[in-house]
Amino acid sequence: MSIEVQYRNRAKELLSNGEVKLVVGYTGGTTPERRRPVFISSAEQVDRLVLDDLCIANLSGYLVTESLLSDEKSVAVFLRPEGIRSINILAAENQLNPDQIVIFGFEPAGNTIKALDGTNALEFSEFVVSLSENPSVSDSDPVIEKLEKMSAQERFSFWQDEFSKCIKCYACRQACPMCYCRRCIVDCNQPQWINTSPHTLGNFEWNIIRAFHLAGRCVECGNCDRACPVNIPLRLINRRMAVEARESFDHFAGLSMTQEPVLASFKKDDSETFIL
Amino acid sequence: MPKILSADKLDNCIERWKSSGNTVIGPVRKSNISAYRPVEKASEFELDIVLPDLSIKELFFPQTEPILKYAIRKQAIDTTEFLPPSGKRIVFGARPCDASGVAIDDPLFGWDYRDEYWFQRRNETVIVSIACVKADDFCMCTSLNLAPDSTMGSDILLRPINGGKGWLVEEITDRGRDAFASIADLLQESTESPVPPAAVPEKFNLEACVEWLKNPENFESRFWKEISVRCIGCASCTYLCPTCHCFDIQDEGDTYSGIRRKNWDSCSFALFTMHTSGHNPRSTQSARWRQRIMHKFNYFPGKFSLNKCSGCGRCSRQCPVDMGITETLQEISKLLP
Ligand code: SF4
Ligand code: SF4
Ligand code: SF4
Ligand code: SF4
Ligand code: SF4
């Protein structure tokens, strides 16, 4: 039985016996290569669910939609490994109760996908630990190597070119499961902390602030990078931040539901190389 | 006899236009994004694309623009206005949906207040469009009563001739005629026939959708929630749209001096309608998506007799969750008897 059929059946079962009120999954999109999020709330609709290697988006952000979980009912969601890590972070940051989330896990396997065992975030604990022990393949991304070899000045002008394209559409933020703040710092306007203008300075402020707010919290799901309509390679920033969090603080974002946020916790032996 | 502009004369045209004080602008790919940018020579153009990623809008309505400088003194406030920048421009290789997008916004910017920032640029810019010979799955100009070779908003319309050798010239406005008079000797007479415009299938019945939108009973329809439940509320669709015109005024500086700017804004954002009290009349994403559709196909046409959409498809092409105007209007079509 294909994993798609297997998960459709499970969705049908959970919806008919009332164990979940909603299934957040994927369905076909405008073109054959596109998949889009879909919200299934009755057993009759489960055939709309599609699951294959084109299902890439991290859907966990929808779980923190205002008041979705406030009735204490459960919601099922299709998640890749990064999505499962985001559930851990959202739970650690008290944004959701993980007991309300039923996970339909899957991971890429060559050109296809395979199902992951488990339904509750806790059951994925060992799996997530194993992820943290296998450094991601993109460690050897050629663009990253090129960037690392640049002088600070060259790197600055690389990012200047990139950020000058930003139109402040905030698609990166809206697509990011970790950007759940009801009022983002750029939307706080009494006073206005961050320039809202999409000029190069304002764009630097925005992108750097967002990078800092995501440091040690980003699971590198790529939602932001794919959402950016002007193709700013946000994944490079995310990668750099993840490497930094790991090397300086031995921190792997979303390792567990009790993990402390790296920039908001203090250990006596924390590296202090950046303090003058 | 019809005139053609041959592709190998394009550099001479650019030179000629520049020497008479024009900035020449056209689709250029830089840092992995295509947009209308100034060029020095023809080889910088990227013309063999469906359409640029960013619309033509920013040439007339930049994403951020200083309008005023202020300094607060003890007894008075000094202000200096920034005038709209002046300078003749020729936009070469605009897409018909971008040119019409600009024309759609003309009545808006000239309505109760005449926006000189817009009109100064409009008056000093010649738009030379190239009819589309290829389209993608998202193009939908034909559903908006426009076409891959519509002339709305264009000063000149060029129709590609076989083999990419050049374009057949169609003069639309006096402004276009003047710009092409200066290169008249570079044009050739020809009997070649143009490549037929791209076939863009009609995606929905606009008139019927508009009737549905106008019916006040449908304002509170469940449809709005269902269609927009996956919308994440970014501004990708509005900022890429050639016709979305909303802006915000921001003062940047310290307590005593600063610069007042006009920045793009979007009805997709919750903050767009947030009142000082904290009340938000469009408190849900579905109310915001409804506004976008209603504004484009009900309110704006009601006021200016124009649809606020040229069918470029960018809103659907780039939406992070594969939504867009097309899907919504197609779904509305399904609700109709
Ligand atoms: S910053 Fe980007 S890659 Fe990281 S969690 Fe957010 S959306 Fe995913
Ligand atoms: S998605 Fe891209 S263009 Fe939009 S705000 Fe983020 S970085 Fe800027
Ligand atoms: S429709 Fe798409 S592009 Fe527009 S606001 Fe919603 S998610 Fe963003
Ligand atoms: S609404 Fe969409 S299709 Fe219409 S002009 Fe705007 S971006 Fe293009
Ligand atoms: S659709 Fe929204 S952003 Fe676009 S012009 Fe209308 S109100 Fe403004």
Side-chain angles (χ1 to χ4, degrees):
Chain A
M1 198 192 317
S2 77
I3 157 169
E4 182 181 82
V5 175
Q6 185 188 327
Y7 279 166
R8 276 184 190 166
N9 290 346
R10 197 155 117 199
K12 188 180 244 166
E13 192 187 312
L14 295 177
L15 285 165
S16 6
N17 65 20
E19 271 181 73
V20 303
K21 64 167 178 178
L22 181 74
V23 178
V24 185
Y26 307 91
T27 193
T30 310
T31 60
E33 319 77 56
R34 288 196 177 200
R35 297 292 172 266
R36 55 166 75 144
V38 69
F39 299 78
I40 303 290
S41 52
S42 83
E44 292 79 62
Q45 304 170 324
V46 295
D47 288 341
R48 293 184 62 198
L49 290 167
V50 168
L51 187 59
D52 56 25
D53 59 326
L54 297 172
C55 300
I56 290 174
N58 181 352
L59 302 177
S60 60
Y62 286 119
L63 302 174
V64 287
T65 305
E66 212 163 342
S67 75
L68 175 70
L69 298 172
S70 53
D71 59 4
E72 311 211 327
K73 292 196 179 128
S74 292
V75 171
V77 58
F78 284 71
L79 295 176
R80 286 183 165 238
E82 307 80 47
I84 299 173
R85 289 165 60 199
S86 2
I87 298 290
N88 281 347
I89 302 181
L90 291 170
E93 296 179 358
N94 294 316
Q95 296 307 309
L96 52 73
N97 172 359
D99 296 336
Q100 278 176 268
I101 310 299
V102 177
I103 296 174
F104 287 20
F106 66 101
E107 67 174 341
N111 286 338
T112 159
I113 48 163
K114 69 180 216 286
L116 293 172
D117 290 335
T119 52
N120 180 288
L122 256 189
E123 294 171 296
F124 290 93
S125 304
E126 277 176 34
F127 172 70
V128 175
V129 170
S130 75
L131 292 175
S132 74
E133 286 159 358
N134 293 314
S136 142
V137 277
S138 59
D139 269 344
S140 52
D141 189 316
V143 189
I144 296 194
E145 278 170 25
K146 199 177 97 195
L147 268 180
E148 298 286 343
K149 288 204 187 94
M150 286 181 182
S151 68
Q153 189 50 48
E154 286 167 333
R155 213 159 33 232
F156 185 79
S157 55
F158 172 87
W159 285 112
Q160 196 164 23
D161 279 352
E162 290 298 338
F163 291 154
S164 66
K165 298 186 296 183
C166 175
I167 52 174
K168 291 238 174 122
C169 66
Y170 301 136
C172 47
R173 172 186 78 186
Q174 297 306 103
C176 176
M178 265 52 254
C179 277
Y180 54 69
C181 296
R182 292 279 178 259
R183 195 145 191 182
C184 173
I185 179 107
V186 285
D187 291 344
C188 295
N189 50 9
Q190 289 179 343
Q192 185 78 53
W193 296 103
I194 314 283
N195 274 332
T196 60
S197 305
H199 44 46
T200 307
L201 173 67
N203 293 347
F204 258 94
E205 287 178 71
W206 161 238
N207 281 283
I208 290 174
I209 282 283
R210 206 180 88 85
F212 272 81
H213 286 190
L214 271 304
R217 303 173 64 244
C218 167
V219 295
E220 296 186 78
C221 65
N223 269 14
C224 54
D225 187 277
R226 286 186 298 272
C228 179
V230 297
N231 301 329
I232 297 174
L234 296 168
R235 62 185 172 282
L236 301 177
I237 301 176
N238 302 335
R239 181 91 284 254
R240 185 68 214 141
M241 289 308 228
V243 170
E244 203 62 50
R246 178 149 16 162
E247 289 177 355
S248 303
F249 304 103
D250 191 23
H251 181 94
F252 180 73
L255 187 64
S256 75
M257 286 186 275
T258 51
Q259 186 183 41
E260 289 192 6
V262 73
L263 288 195
S265 57
F266 172 76
K267 292 197 202 92
K268 274 197 190 141
D269 57 350
D270 272 350
S271 143
E272 289 178 355
T273 48
F274 54 93
I275 296 177
L276 293 175
Chain B
M1 190 178 289
K3 292 272 167 53
I4 62 161
L5 166 59
S6 115
D8 55 22
K9 290 276 168 31
L10 199 47
D11 269 322
N12 303 78
C13 295
I14 295 178
E15 225 167 85
R16 190 76 61 82
W17 284 326
K18 284 172 66 79
S19 67
S20 55
N22 288 287
T23 305
V24 181
I25 299 172
V28 168
R29 176 168 297 275
K30 190 176 166 267
S31 290
N32 203 14
I33 190 88
S34 58
Y36 293 94
R37 297 282 177 257
V39 296
E40 296 297 324
K41 48 187 196 309
S43 57
E44 293 170 52
F45 285 137
E46 187 189 41
L47 297 172
D48 189 29
I49 49 173
V50 173
L51 80 178
D53 299 315
L54 295 180
S55 88
I56 201 170
K57 168 170 78 179
E58 58 176 326
L59 297 183
F60 303 93
F61 170 35
Q63 57 190 30
T64 178
E65 163 148 63
I67 53 177
L68 188 80
K69 193 164 82 182
Y70 62 88
I72 302 172
R73 294 186 291 119
K74 271 217 173 77
Q75 304 292 334
I77 301 175
D78 297 334
T79 57
T80 320
E81 260 187 80
F82 291 107
L83 295 171
S86 111
K88 292 187 294 173
R89 304 183 299 179
I90 294 192
V91 182
F92 184 89
R95 285 290 166 232
C97 53
D98 271 336
S100 45
V102 174
I104 287 170
D105 273 351
D106 281 339
L108 180 279
F109 282 112
W111 160 47
D112 57 343
Y113 171 83
R114 196 179 150 84
D115 189 321
E116 279 311 323
Y117 293 87
W118 175 269
F119 285 107
Q120 174 146 339
R121 291 179 169 107
R122 281 290 277 141
N123 292 336
E124 293 188 326
T125 308
V126 180
I127 301 183
V128 181
S129 300
I130 300 181
C132 299
V133 291
K134 62 180 179 188
D136 69 9
D137 293 337
F138 300 94
C139 294
M140 54 154 186
C141 49
T142 48
S143 311
L144 277 309
N145 307 323
L146 290 164
D149 59 347
S150 34
T151 56
M152 183 182 184
S154 301
D155 297 301
I156 296 278
L157 181 74
L158 300 177
R159 294 174 185 273
I161 51 174
N162 272 321
K165 287 178 301 192
W167 307 271
L168 210 68
V169 179
E170 212 171 287
E171 291 170 344
I172 313 295
T173 65
D174 288 341
R175 206 155 47 194
R177 251 183 290 280
D178 289 347
F180 269 55
S182 70
I183 54 157
D185 57 313
L186 298 171
L187 304 178
Q188 294 149 246
E189 294 198 336
S190 163
T191 50
E192 271 199 71
S193 51
V195 180
V200 180
E202 228 178 278
K203 305 213 159 177
F204 45 80
N205 177 344
L206 182 67
E207 280 66 35
C209 292
V210 171
E211 281 314 305
W212 189 88
L213 292 172
K214 279 190 188 155
N215 180 348
E217 279 174 25
N218 294 327
F219 191 78
E220 298 291 353
S221 165
R222 282 164 49 102
F223 170 78
W224 296 113
K225 175 116 193 98
E226 287 164 6
I227 193 75
S228 65
V229 62
R230 67 182 189 275
C231 175
I232 55 174
C234 63
S236 188
C237 53
T238 43
Y239 287 1
L240 297 183
C241 177
T243 73
C244 274
H245 60 251
C246 286
F247 60 84
D248 181 31
I249 300 292
Q250 281 275 335
D251 289 346
E252 273 176 10
D254 55 30
T255 319
Y256 298 104
S257 65
I259 285 180
R260 176 161 293 179
R261 293 185 157 268
K262 177 177 160 192
N263 293 340
W264 286 357
D265 202 355
S266 165
C267 65
S268 303
F269 294 142
L271 201 62
F272 188 76
T273 42
M274 182 76 89
H275 292 183
T276 322
S277 65
H279 170 68
N280 192 345
R282 280 183 219 139
S283 60
T284 58
Q285 201 56 38
S286 57
R288 300 192 270 272
W289 183 249
R290 176 181 61 201
Q291 159 63 20
R292 184 162 156 73
I293 301 291
M294 285 287 189
H295 188 202
K296 289 199 171 290
F297 304 105
N298 184 4
Y299 313 148
F300 193 89
K303 193 163 182 67
F304 301 113
S305 305
L306 282 170
N307 299 307
K308 198 169 178 55
C309 171
S310 67
C312 73
R314 287 189 183 87
C315 53
S316 321
R317 209 175 275 113
Q318 290 284 11
C319 171
V321 296
D322 193 38
M323 272 181 52
I325 298 282
T326 313
E327 184 206 12
T328 296
L329 294 192
Q330 281 174 332
E331 290 300 316
I332 291 177
S333 304
K334 289 184 198 162
L335 300 174
L336 303 169

